[in-house]
Each structure stands twice: as C-alpha cells, then as structure tokens.
Amino acid sequence: MAYWSELPPELLTLIAKRLETQFDVLRFRSICRPWRSSFPPKLYPLPKRLPSSKKTKAGCRFSLNQITIATLFLVRLPPVTENRSNQTDPSCWLIKISDGKPLNPLTDSGLNANLPKVLDLINCQVIELGHGYVGRYSVHINYRFRGLYRNYIEKVEILRLSPDGDDFMVVGLFSHGVEYLALLKSGENEWTVLENMHGIQDIITSNNKLYAIEQSGGTIIVDQFFSVGFIQHAVGSPTNRKFLVESSGDLLLVEMIFLENSESNAGFRIFKLDEENQKWDEIKSLGDQILILGLHQVVSVSAYEFHWGDQGNLIFYSIDGNVEDRVMYVFDLEKGISIPLENCPVYCNLFWPLPVWLNSSESVVSSSMEATPGTEFANLGICEDVGSSFSSS
C-alpha cells in the first residue's frame, strides 16, 4: 500500500509548482504535515504605499489608494457518475469574494443570505475560476481658484516579473473624461502615464505581457521592459463596449453590441488574437467555454465544470441601472439571442438563490471546524494574503 505522506519531497515540489491558484496550494498543504512543509504558501505581496502621479497635461494628479483582489469561485456537489451531464440539476453555484464579502459575480451586489460559516470540503468541491484586481482611485483637478477631488473605482492589473512575485508592474487606468494607461514598476517612485493612449476600455496580463484595448479598436502591448507595441488594425466598432479575456490559452476580445428595437438587448462578437500576424480573427463559437462578464472581471470556464458536457458557447452578463438594479442575461452565441436569467431557472440558479444543499446543516455544511475538514466561508479565497488590500498614505 502506498502512503501519500511518504512521497519524496522532490516529487511534492514538482506537483506543487504546477498548482495555478492559491486555493489549490491551500488544499495541497492541508493534506498532511509533510506536504505542508514541502512547499510554502503561494504569496504575492503587494506594496504598502504607491506614489501619486505627476501632474498630467490636463492638469490632473492621480492616486491609486487601495487595491482589492476579487476571486470567482465555483461551489459544486461532486458528480454522481463520471459521465453526468444534467443541466436541470442545480448542483453548482457561483460566488465572488472581494475583501471578505460575498458578491454576485455579474452585478457585484451583496448577497443578503444566511451563508454557512463553514464549508465541508469532503462533501462539496470549491474551485477557483479566476481572480482580478479592483482599485480605488482619486483624481485631483487643478482649477484657477480651487481644486476638485473625485474618487472612482476601476480595474487594476498586476504583471508578475519574477517567479517569487517580488518584482512586478502595477497597471492602472487614470480616468478623467477618458482613461489613460498608467504603469508603475516595483521599487520605482514615479508612474509612467501614457497620455497619448486614451479611451482604454479593458486591460489584461497574459504571456508575461500587458494588453490594452482602446475604444477605437486599437491594441496596445507592453512587455516587462516597458517596451510598447501596437496592433494598428482596429477591431470592432468605436461605439461598442470591448472586453479582454484569456480562454483555453488564447487571448479573446469580446465586443458587446447594444441593440435597439430588438428582442435581444445586446449582441456579441468574439475575436481571437493572432499576435504573430498582428491581427484579430473573428471566431463564431466558444466551443465548450462559457464567459462570465463581471463589472471589472471577465472569466472563461468550461461547461464541463458545471457537469454540462460540451454545452457551452454562452455569455453571462448584466446591464442597466446601478449595482443593485442591474438585470442579468445569458447570450447564446449559436442562436444569437439573449434572454433574462429570470426566465431561465437552470442558468439563474448558478447565481441565486443559495442552493438548498449548501444551506443545509445535514448535507455539506459543517457546524464547526472540528467536525469535518472544512474552510470558513467568509475566508473563502483568502489563502494567506488573498483578499487583502494595501493603502497608500
């Protein structure tokens, strides 16, 4: 009989290095004492202070005051059989954890529910689907007789420049009428603001590079040495909203087209980056992938994770109103139509309400940490430093 605790340390290290998320590292280290001591927590410390920018040409000074990490999780029951593919079974639930608070992944609205204090990880599975960073910015605008301050929330990206995470580049969006790309390397005291590149609609890090998409459809590529490149061929229409997401190893651009006088309130086009040939190629299908368009984060996940087989090719999104009033929809790429989630219980149950099996003390929820191996729900996604934020002074 083989004992997992007796695996050679060098083999454990090889396994641990292939774990992509901090939550997976947490589960790996919780197996037994030898496993825990074989690999340290996957920590990516962030700076405690960030400098304000110099005054821009428009007379504005920007600050990035706080960064919070938001993590999207799938909580699901184990499949009854290996080949289970039953969309009518509400065995999956999506939740976003930001700053220790549970949120709706599409609207960022708070979940007013009696969430269990502890999840029993023997009877349910928790899978990290992705994470992103959100920044609290402020801008000081100089007028002749007085200054004006404005605070806003916008996306942030962190480009890791070393395996241990000590070297990195913070990428922000400085916004005053239009969005400017701003870069700050660890150890430096001055932001690099690319003022000639504005109208940025989304940013993403992929393949050790930063990618940004302009409203006009132009693509900006920045490497770890601050070398800036462009894809001159514009993609999509300047009037449409654009998102960037990594899916199955490819970088995709999602163009959201707002429709009037149509049964569908929005349409979508998908493009895949061909960086070698400096162009975006339109694709007609996502295959088994499903896109979840949050307010500051887009995540691609396989339909197999929901026990749906290959029945993907869907986009979940929300539009209109403030955070609490946004309406959620699902867009079927194959049929080219969008439907309110409230009319699709199968899909709506992914987001709300809280599944009965998750809220039942007799099924998967442990009343104490001593009863069964579990994790505190409030700390879901907070593996050592996940969910933490830093402030400037």
Side-chain angles (χ1 to χ4, degrees):
M1 177 182 292
Y3 293 95
W4 290 105
S5 61
E6 297 178 0
L7 287 177
E10 58 271 17
L11 181 57
L12 292 175
T13 301
L14 289 174
I15 295 173
K17 285 183 176 179
R18 285 165 171 76
L19 300 177
E20 296 183 353
T21 69
Q22 291 181 317
F23 194 71
D24 286 341
V25 173
L26 174 68
R27 291 190 291 189
F28 174 89
R29 299 180 77 243
S30 67
I31 297 298
C32 58
R33 189 181 299 274
W35 286 41
R36 181 175 180 84
S37 61
S38 70
F39 197 76
K42 203 168 188 176
L43 298 178
Y44 294 123
L46 294 171
K48 298 297 182 182
R49 297 176 181 85
L50 288 178
S52 298
S53 72
K54 289 185 175 181
K55 190 181 298 184
T56 65
K57 295 177 182 178
C60 302
R61 190 185 302 275
F62 293 90
S63 298
L64 176 52
N65 303 314
Q66 186 183 60
I67 294 179
T68 301
I69 189 169
T71 308
L72 180 63
F73 289 97
L74 169 64
V75 184
R76 70 183 183 191
L77 289 173
V80 177
T81 64
E82 290 186 1
N83 297 320
R84 174 179 171 185
S85 178
N86 182 5
Q87 281 187 295
T88 63
D89 184 1
S91 61
C92 300
W93 193 55
L94 292 170
I95 184 171
K96 180 178 179 179
I97 302 293
S98 179
D99 202 18
K101 300 174 183 177
L103 305 174
N104 182 302
L106 296 181
T107 67
D108 278 1
S109 58
L111 298 180
N112 298 319
N114 295 321
L115 298 174
K117 292 183 179 180
V118 175
L119 286 178
D120 179 358
L121 297 183
I122 291 179
N123 294 318
C124 72
Q125 300 171 332
V126 180
I127 301 170
E128 181 180 330
L129 300 180
H131 67 271
Y133 300 95
V134 177
R136 295 183 181 275
Y137 298 80
S138 62
V139 53
H140 179 219
I141 307 163
N142 279 330
Y143 286 111
R144 181 171 299 178
F145 301 108
R146 64 185 178 91
L148 175 66
Y149 285 90
R150 181 175 67 87
N151 298 318
Y152 65 96
I153 295 175
E154 189 51 272
K155 188 174 183 179
V156 176
E157 280 289 339
I158 309 291
L159 180 62
R160 302 292 171 184
L161 305 179
S162 63
D164 57 12
D166 290 339
D167 297 321
F168 53 86
M169 179 169 65
V170 180
V171 184
L173 291 175
F174 288 173
S175 175
H176 177 54
V178 294
E179 288 72 29
Y180 299 101
L181 203 59
L183 314 173
L184 179 67
K185 214 167 184 177
S186 55
E188 296 186 352
N189 297 316
E190 187 174 316
W191 286 91
T192 299
V193 182
L194 307 181
E195 293 190 66
N196 60 325
M197 304 170 196
H198 51 78
I200 306 297
Q201 292 204 327
D202 202 6
I203 54 178
I204 192 173
T205 56
S206 177
N207 298 321
N208 296 319
K209 297 178 184 178
L210 168 79
Y211 297 84
I213 187 71
E214 297 177 303
Q215 181 178 355
S216 62
T219 307
I220 303 164
I221 305 173
V222 183
D223 66 17
Q224 56 185 323
F225 305 107
F226 278 25
S227 176
V228 181
F230 303 90
I231 295 180
Q232 300 293 349
H233 178 71
V235 59
S237 168
T239 60
N240 297 331
R241 184 71 171 87
K242 301 174 184 67
F243 307 87
L244 296 171
V245 60
E246 195 168 15
S247 178
S248 300
D250 294 317
L251 184 59
L252 303 183
L253 182 145
V254 183
E255 183 181 34
M256 186 177 186
I257 307 165
F258 295 99
L259 303 175
E260 296 181 0
N261 303 320
S262 172
E263 293 183 2
S264 298
N265 56 20
F268 289 89
R269 297 172 67 194
I270 311 295
F271 301 86
K272 182 172 71 173
L273 178 62
D274 180 355
E275 191 167 352
E276 182 178 354
N277 294 308
Q278 295 284 290
K279 64 175 183 174
W280 292 90
D281 296 322
E282 185 171 4
I283 59 176
K284 299 299 184 181
S285 173
L286 290 169
D288 70 306
Q289 295 297 301
I290 295 170
L291 300 184
I292 301 169
L293 268 65
L295 297 188
H296 303 287
Q297 178 185 17
V298 185
V299 173
S300 177
V301 57
S302 171
Y304 287 97
E305 297 286 6
F306 302 115
H307 310 313
W308 292 353
D310 61 354
Q311 300 177 47
N313 217 19
L314 303 172
I315 301 175
F316 293 104
Y317 66 100
S318 67
I319 60 172
D320 297 330
N322 55 38
V323 169
E324 299 298 332
D325 297 330
R326 294 182 70 88
V327 181
M328 299 184 294
Y329 295 86
V330 58
F331 183 83
D332 189 315
L333 272 170
E334 182 177 355
K335 298 178 181 178
I337 59 172
S338 64
I339 303 173
L341 277 189
E342 61 182 4
N343 298 336
C344 305
V346 171
Y347 298 141
C348 187
N349 287 339
L350 283 174
F351 304 92
W352 189 257
L354 186 70
V356 173
W357 53 265
L358 188 56
N359 200 27
S360 171
S361 60
E362 297 178 356
S363 55
V364 302
V365 180
S366 167
S367 60
S368 73
M369 290 294 286
E370 297 177 356
T372 54
T375 184
E376 293 184 15
F377 206 102
N379 291 332
L380 189 63
I382 305 179
C383 306
E384 313 295 342
D385 71 327
V386 177
S388 64
S389 59
F390 65 82
S391 300
S392 63
S393 60

